[in-house]
Amino acid sequence: MSDMFLIVGLGNPGREYANTRHNIGFRCVDALAARHSLAFEDKKRSKAKIALGNIQGYRVLLAKPQTYMNLSGGAVQGLAAFYQIPPAQIMVIFDDLDLPVGTLRIRPKGGSGGHKGVTSIIQRLGTRDFPRIRVGIGRPDTPMDPASYVLRPFDGPEEAEVAGAVERVILAIETWLTDGIDPAMNRYNGSPEDIAQRAAPTSLAAEDDHDS
């Protein structure tokens, strides 16, 4: 077993997909790499672009599969096998149509929820027991084929929500590495409003203690 952690962002390769809703996983790992001064290598390994380094004192491998979304599992399986990384140390970040834009849902394991990239990973790893972060991309206000919708960019007003979500994904991953999945879930699951509400009682209690 390796002491390395694999952090996978799902998306489609190619400039035409770069800013689409379906590529929020790529966007998150790119932001994580930038935060910790990690660089993706020009050469692909196991059909993925990778960046090796350290985050919070832990060895990490960041990956962006280049197989197109529906075949993501091959890249993840190849990297996990090469670096001997167990499923519990593989974090997968991907988009979720059923969550409002910017909302996070962090889980230690589970099904694919119909997401074909995650379905591919489950099939190739042979298990559903790997942590994941779903990032809400919302559903269209008007009737539209979901396959077309996920390949559209975020609207201008949504960008601030998306940027905030990417920042919370980074914080959640850092927490997962240092403290485990449960603290990451407790702190960062939900919308910004959910997180603020959970933090409010603690803040008020701290003020009461200070006043006394």
Side-chain angles (χ1 to χ4, degrees):
M1 182 182 295
S2 172
D3 62 351
M4 181 179 288
F5 291 80
L6 173 57
I7 301 165
V8 183
L10 297 189
N12 286 312
R15 186 174 300 174
E16 66 271 31
Y17 299 109
N19 296 314
T20 63
R21 295 169 190 265
H22 219 22
N23 272 38
I24 191 68
F26 277 14
R27 182 167 171 174
C28 288
V29 292
D30 281 339
L32 181 65
R35 169 78 65 89
H36 293 277
S37 301
L38 305 181
F40 282 92
E41 299 175 1
D42 292 332
K43 186 175 74 172
K44 290 183 285 190
R45 183 183 292 277
S46 295
K47 299 180 181 179
K49 288 188 175 181
I50 64 169
L52 287 159
N54 288 273
I55 295 177
Q56 309 291 85
Y58 292 86
R59 295 175 65 221
V60 299
L61 170 64
L62 310 186
K64 297 187 292 184
Q66 301 295 293
T67 55
Y68 289 94
M69 184 69 80
N70 296 0
L71 300 176
S72 300
V76 175
Q77 180 194 34
L79 292 171
F82 185 84
Y83 290 98
Q84 298 184 311
I85 303 173
Q89 291 169 211
I90 301 173
M91 175 67 80
V92 180
I93 309 161
F94 57 99
D95 58 296
D96 192 323
L97 276 164
D98 293 321
L99 292 175
V101 173
T103 296
L104 303 187
R105 181 167 293 164
I106 306 164
R107 293 287 185 269
K109 58 185 178 180
S112 69
H115 193 286
K116 293 182 179 179
V118 181
T119 297
S120 175
I121 294 172
I122 291 172
Q123 290 173 344
R124 295 300 295 265
L125 290 181
T127 181
R128 309 192 314 170
D129 296 349
F130 53 87
R132 71 282 307 278
I133 301 177
R134 301 174 187 261
V135 183
I137 62 169
R139 284 192 176 272
D141 295 330
T142 57
M144 181 183 298
D145 178 13
S148 299
Y149 176 71
V150 299
L151 297 181
R152 293 181 60 181
F154 290 100
D155 295 335
E158 295 173 325
E159 267 303 320
E161 296 176 80
V162 175
V166 171
E167 178 68 19
R168 294 195 304 281
V169 167
I170 292 172
L171 294 172
I173 290 171
E174 292 171 349
T175 300
W176 170 62
L177 290 171
T178 57
D179 301 326
I181 192 68
D182 287 341
M185 291 168 57
N186 292 338
R187 294 175 198 172
Y188 299 107
N189 262 342
S191 66
E193 293 76 18
D194 296 330
I195 295 168
Q197 287 179 355
R198 288 199 298 270
T202 302
S203 299
L204 291 174
E207 290 176 7
D208 291 341
D209 291 343
H210 180 73
D211 291 341
S212 61

